[in-house]
Amino acid sequence: MSAKRPKIEYYFSFISLWSYVGSVVFQDIVKRHDVEVEYKPIDLLAVFAAGGGKPVRERPLPRQAYRLVEMQRWKAIRAIPLVTWPKYYPADPSLGHRMLLAAIRDGSEVSAFVHAGLKAVWADELDIEDADTLVRLANQSGLDGARLLAQESDPVLKARESRLAREAIDRRLFGAPFYFYRDEPFWGQDRLDQVEEAIVSGRPPILAPADL
């Protein structure tokens, strides 16, 4: 009997800086360990509000300043293009998220589109609220962008989008990215080495107390 593939639930948003910073490394882990990924795009601002977080411009200035330091640090560590204040940030990612959900429903391979959506915001300074931009990104990722766009107003996809936001809040998420492996939560792309360790070691998952 073959071993069961490891599975990760990946909560992210196209406007999540740190989801972008960790995207290439995450996909590398996925490939090397043959991980099944359940992609879960979320309404990040709703998650912030529920978890006590704030959008970047509403955070205390010391936190804003340190974030800029971290951005430059991780840009060098990951060797990725990264724009400090992208032209189209913040943007509403919901159209792109629904197109992604349509692709997932179709059974398509979506990892390239997920990375393209993140890179579009944080490196290429593209407007991910623009339908033509999203269609182009989907096409470049091996998908049928026009077909995905045609599905975006489907009530089933809108309901799925809402359920994912509620699910994230119910699971006590307070930012992105969040990775769940065997129900163990890992917050932030700087925890990816710990995610890989959990996969490789086979240790029991470490779970948050349910009664808090």
Side-chain angles (χ1 to χ4, degrees):
M1 181 182 296
S2 60
K4 186 176 181 180
R5 292 175 64 194
K7 178 179 178 179
I8 291 176
E9 296 171 85
Y10 175 35
Y11 293 86
F12 67 97
S13 167
F14 282 158
I15 61 169
S16 165
L17 162 64
W18 302 112
S19 296
Y20 166 64
V21 171
S23 181
V24 171
V25 174
F26 176 59
Q27 294 298 344
D28 179 60
I29 292 172
V30 167
K31 291 175 183 177
R32 285 190 289 106
H33 298 289
D34 190 27
V35 175
E36 177 187 352
V37 181
E38 187 171 0
Y39 291 95
K40 296 189 171 185
I42 56 173
D43 182 342
L44 189 56
L45 297 184
V47 169
F48 280 161
K54 296 286 186 182
V56 174
R57 290 294 195 182
E58 296 178 21
R59 296 172 189 169
L61 291 179
R63 287 196 60 190
Q64 291 190 42
Y66 187 73
R67 175 179 176 273
L68 298 177
V69 172
E70 283 279 83
M71 289 179 74
Q72 296 304 312
R73 184 178 292 145
W74 283 103
K75 176 182 179 180
I77 292 171
R78 299 297 194 209
I80 55 173
L82 177 61
V83 178
T84 304
W85 290 111
K87 181 178 180 180
Y88 296 103
Y89 175 81
D92 182 355
S94 58
L95 175 59
H97 286 177
R98 290 195 299 275
M99 289 175 64
L100 172 61
L101 291 173
I104 293 170
R105 182 173 64 179
D106 289 347
S108 300
E109 166 55 53
V110 298
S111 59
F113 185 41
V114 170
H115 181 70
L118 294 165
K119 186 173 181 286
V121 176
W122 292 102
D124 300 329
E125 294 193 281
L126 300 177
D127 182 5
I128 59 164
E129 293 188 25
D130 178 67
D132 290 339
T133 297
L134 288 164
V135 168
R136 185 171 69 254
L137 292 173
N139 290 341
Q140 292 170 352
S141 302
L143 303 172
D144 185 338
R147 172 180 165 78
L148 299 181
L149 181 63
Q151 300 178 66
E152 67 85 19
S153 60
D154 185 337
V156 173
L157 293 179
K158 290 186 175 182
R160 172 64 173 159
E161 183 182 33
S162 297
R163 284 198 303 274
L164 284 174
R166 184 71 256 169
E167 177 183 306
I169 292 168
D170 289 346
R171 294 187 83 173
R172 303 177 182 176
L173 273 65
F174 46 83
F178 252 93
Y179 315 92
F180 281 81
Y181 175 62
R182 297 171 66 192
D183 288 326
E184 179 175 347
F186 299 84
W187 173 49
Q189 64 87 28
D190 50 348
R191 298 295 183 267
L192 281 169
D193 58 338
Q194 296 179 11
V195 175
E196 185 168 23
E197 182 277 331
I199 294 171
V200 172
S201 70
R203 63 165 175 76
I206 301 170
L207 306 178
D211 55 353
L212 286 179

